[in-house]
Amino acid sequence: MAAKYEVVLKELSAEIAEMRAGDQLPTEQQLAARFSVSSMTVRRALEALINAKRIVGIRGKGTFVAEPSLTKRMTLASFTDSMRAAGRTARAEVLSAGVAAAGADVAADFGIESSASVYTVERLRFGDDTPLSIDSSRLPAELFPNMLGNDLTGSLYEILRRRYDVHLTRASSRVAAVLPTPREAELLGITVDQPCLQVIARGSLADGRVAEITRSIYRGDLYELLIEPEDQGAS
C-alpha cells in the first residue's frame, strides 16, 4: 500500500502537469484538508516536487508551478543554441560594454601586457521573456578589432566565428553555488536568498591561448548544468 505522501505526490504531480508556469497551488492547510492528511504529509510531498524543480516556494507568497528546467551542457554550445534546443527564443539585453586596460590580474589570465586593451561586455540573457542569466565576458581587443561595433544582442560565439573566423574550444569551467547580489537578484527577477549557479568559463584558441573569459550567474530554480566526462563540442 502506498504511503500517504506518495498518494498526495502522485495526484499533485498529475495536476501540475496540466497547469501553467506561475500558477499558484493551494496552501498546505487546504491540501491537507482536501486529502485528509496531516500538514507534515503534504509538506513532504511538496518538498519532493520542489527538489524535482516542478514547483517553487516563495516565502510569504506561496507555492507556484515552476518554469520547465533548462539544461546546459558544459561545452562551447552557445546560450542561443541551448535555448533553440529547448524550444525557446534567446535574446540578450546589453547592460554595459566597454574597453579598458587589462590590469595585472586579467592580463595574467590572457597572457598579455597589463596595458593591453580588453573588452568587457555584460548582458542579461533571456529565454523567451524570462531572464535566465547574467553574463560578463572579457576578450582581448587585439584579437577582435571593433568588437563593440557588432550587434551584441545575439550569440558572441557566432560573432567570433562569422566576423573573425575564430572557433573557440572550452579550456575550463569552474562552477560554484552562490547567492545573487541585490542587483543580480533584481535583474533576474528573484529574491536574494534564491541560490544561483556561478560559472567562470574560459575559451581558448587552437594554439591554447585563452581568448575569452565569461562569468555567468544562472538562476538555480530554472537552470541545471550537465557535466560529461569528455568534451562534446563547442559551448
Side-chain angles (χ1 to χ4, degrees):
M1 182 176 178
K4 290 183 178 180
Y5 98 91
E6 291 177 336
V7 174
V8 175
L9 176 59
K10 182 178 180 180
E11 291 204 24
L12 285 180
S13 181
E15 290 181 16
I16 289 169
E18 301 299 322
M19 298 170 71
R20 295 177 301 176
D23 285 351
Q24 186 170 7
L25 273 67
T27 65
E28 283 186 12
Q29 292 76 16
Q30 290 170 331
L31 290 171
R34 172 181 158 191
F35 289 106
S36 300
V37 296
S38 67
S39 293
M40 184 175 298
T41 297
V42 170
R43 191 172 304 121
R44 187 176 177 188
L46 293 176
E47 286 175 353
L49 291 167
I50 289 173
N51 291 336
K53 298 185 179 180
R54 298 286 306 284
I55 60 175
V56 59
I58 300 177
R59 187 174 302 168
K61 293 186 178 181
T63 307
F64 302 83
V65 177
E67 292 276 357
S69 181
L70 298 162
T71 299
K72 177 175 173 58
R73 293 177 182 271
M74 292 305 295
T75 61
L76 264 178
S78 71
F79 180 91
T80 302
D81 291 338
S82 298
M83 290 301 100
R84 186 178 296 117
R88 295 192 177 207
T89 300
R91 66 180 178 89
E93 176 184 326
V94 179
L95 302 175
S96 64
V99 60
D105 291 342
V106 175
D109 288 332
F110 286 121
I112 59 179
E113 297 293 329
S114 60
S115 59
S117 296
V118 170
Y119 298 119
T120 299
V121 179
E122 185 183 39
R123 304 184 299 165
L124 180 61
R125 312 300 303 274
F126 293 81
D128 294 333
D129 291 322
T130 302
L132 296 174
S133 74
I134 302 168
D135 294 355
S136 181
S137 301
R138 288 190 173 95
L139 306 99
E142 66 176 357
L143 295 178
F144 311 109
N146 196 33
M147 179 73 185
L148 301 186
N150 294 285
D151 179 4
L152 302 175
T153 61
S155 168
L156 281 184
Y157 296 122
E158 177 61 27
I159 292 173
L160 300 187
R161 290 191 294 266
R162 176 173 43 82
R163 176 77 185 274
Y164 303 98
D165 195 26
V166 169
H167 299 258
L168 298 181
T169 57
R170 176 59 68 223
S172 67
S173 297
R174 186 183 297 272
V175 184
V178 299
L179 291 176
T181 65
R183 174 178 177 267
E184 290 167 343
E186 182 178 1
L187 287 169
L188 292 172
I190 57 177
T191 60
V192 292
D193 58 356
Q194 169 66 58
C196 292
L197 293 170
Q198 173 184 271
V199 179
I200 299 177
R202 297 168 178 244
S204 62
L205 303 174
D207 61 8
R209 284 181 297 162
V210 175
E212 170 252 353
I213 300 174
T214 296
R215 175 184 180 267
S216 300
I217 297 293
Y218 294 101
R219 285 181 56 164
D221 60 332
L222 298 182
Y223 232 98
E224 64 180 16
L225 300 174
L226 175 61
I227 301 174
E228 296 180 321
E230 296 180 359
D231 192 357
Q232 300 296 313
S235 156

